[in-house]
């Protein structure tokens, strides 16, 4: 193929550095040479990197399945939260053999992800169970009595603190009256759910770190 000058479009020789018609310098860019070894090894190395990378889509799918039993049982048996991420990491490595070992940081992320999903399941599960008890089993009075007893116990603890601090009995009674009101019950339920969710996420993250360590030990020959 005949090359042409970029200024005057005159024909050029193959190795000409200047145009013989207008004397304009010609720039030549040589394409990089690709060796056979790099051409053959490139796709293999890329495939190896893809195989060893963390498949977060698979992790999320497994976490959605495991979060259901963990979230439903966590309010009644809290240590199960630690076992959830360990099971998740073990199942992931069985589904994706040949992947890189999970380090502690990645294990914490996996555990925290499972903890967030489990906290949502736990919150909706507790709310659904209370609705079922109140309106289907007609145990609303029992639930109200249990809540009043919990608030009363908290109020007694607050009164003991008031005796040791500057809080007087009138303030303690006002706090008790607030928590027995509908707004106080909503506030109490919100803080209880928030503390429960925070504990589930933190404990699940620690379980993920433990699961990553156990997975590395099992992978060692």
């Amino acid at each position: 193929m005949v090359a042409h000058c970029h200024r005057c479009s005159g024909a050029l020789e193959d190795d000409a550095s200047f145009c013989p018609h207008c004397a304009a310098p010609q720039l030549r860019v040589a394409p990089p040479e690709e060796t056979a070894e790099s051409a053959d090894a490139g796709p293999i190395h890329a495939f190896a990197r893809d195989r060893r990378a963390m498949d977060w889509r698979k992790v999320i799918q497994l976490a959605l399945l495991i979060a259901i039993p963990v979230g439903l049982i966590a309010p009644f048996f809290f240590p199960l939260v630690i076992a959830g991420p360990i099971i998740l990491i073990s199942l992931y490595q069985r589904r994706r053999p040949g992947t890189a070992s999970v380090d502690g940081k990645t294990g914490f992320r996996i555990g925290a992800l499972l903890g967030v999903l489990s906290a949502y399941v736990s919150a909706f599960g507790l709310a659904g169970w209370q609705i079922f008890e109140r309106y289907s089993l007609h145990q609303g009075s029992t639930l109200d009595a249990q809540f009043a007893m919990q608030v009363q116990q908290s109020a007694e603890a607050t009164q003991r603190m008031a005796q040791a601090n500057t809080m007087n009995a009138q303030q303690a009674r006002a706090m008790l009256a607030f928590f027995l009101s509908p707004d106080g019950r909503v506030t109490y339920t919100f803080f209880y759910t928030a503390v429960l969710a925070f504990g589930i996420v933190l404990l699940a993250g620690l379980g993920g770190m433990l699961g990553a360590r156990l997975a590395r030990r099992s992978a060692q020959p």
Side-chain angles (χ1 to χ4, degrees), residues 16-84:
S17 300
F18 296 89
C19 177
H21 307 286
C22 65
Q26 306 298 312
L27 299 178
R28 302 297 178 91
V29 178
E33 296 182 358
E34 185 177 0
T35 62
E37 181 180 358
S38 62
D40 294 337
I44 296 177
H45 290 168
F47 176 76
R49 288 194 299 269
D50 292 340
R51 288 286 296 172
R52 293 177 62 85
M54 179 66 64
D55 188 359
W56 285 101
R57 179 178 297 179
K58 178 64 67 176
V59 172
I60 294 175
Q61 292 175 355
L62 294 174
L64 288 173
L65 295 176
I66 299 176
I68 296 175
V70 172
L72 293 177
I73 304 176
F76 310 101
F77 189 67
F78 213 62
L80 181 64
V81 180
I82 298 179

Side-chain angles (χ1 to χ4, degrees), residues 134 139-150 180 185:
R134 179 175 294 273
Q139 295 182 357
S141 58
T142 304
L143 294 176
D144 294 338
Q146 291 177 355
F147 178 76
M149 184 177 62
Q150 292 177 357
L180 288 176
R185 185 162 187 170

Side-chain angles (χ1 to χ4, degrees), residues 82-148:
I82 298 179
I86 298 175
I87 298 174
L88 172 58
I89 294 174
S90 178
L91 288 178
Y92 173 77
Q93 291 192 336
R94 290 183 181 180
R95 299 284 181 89
R96 291 292 302 270
T99 56
S101 60
V102 181
D103 57 0
K105 185 177 180 180
T106 305
F108 183 84
R109 291 178 179 178
I110 294 175
L113 171 64
L114 178 61
V116 171
L117 297 175
S118 300
Y120 273 105
V121 173
S122 180
F124 282 104
L126 289 175
W129 177 250
Q130 288 187 1
I131 293 174
F132 177 76
E133 280 187 321
R134 179 175 294 273
Y135 297 104
S136 297
L137 301 180
H138 304 287
Q139 295 182 357
S141 58
T142 304
L143 294 176
D144 294 338
Q146 291 177 355
F147 178 76

Side-chain angles (χ1 to χ4, degrees), residues 205-219:
L206 297 177
M209 297 177 63
L210 179 60
R213 177 174 296 183
L214 293 177
R216 288 197 304 269
R217 288 184 178 180
S218 62

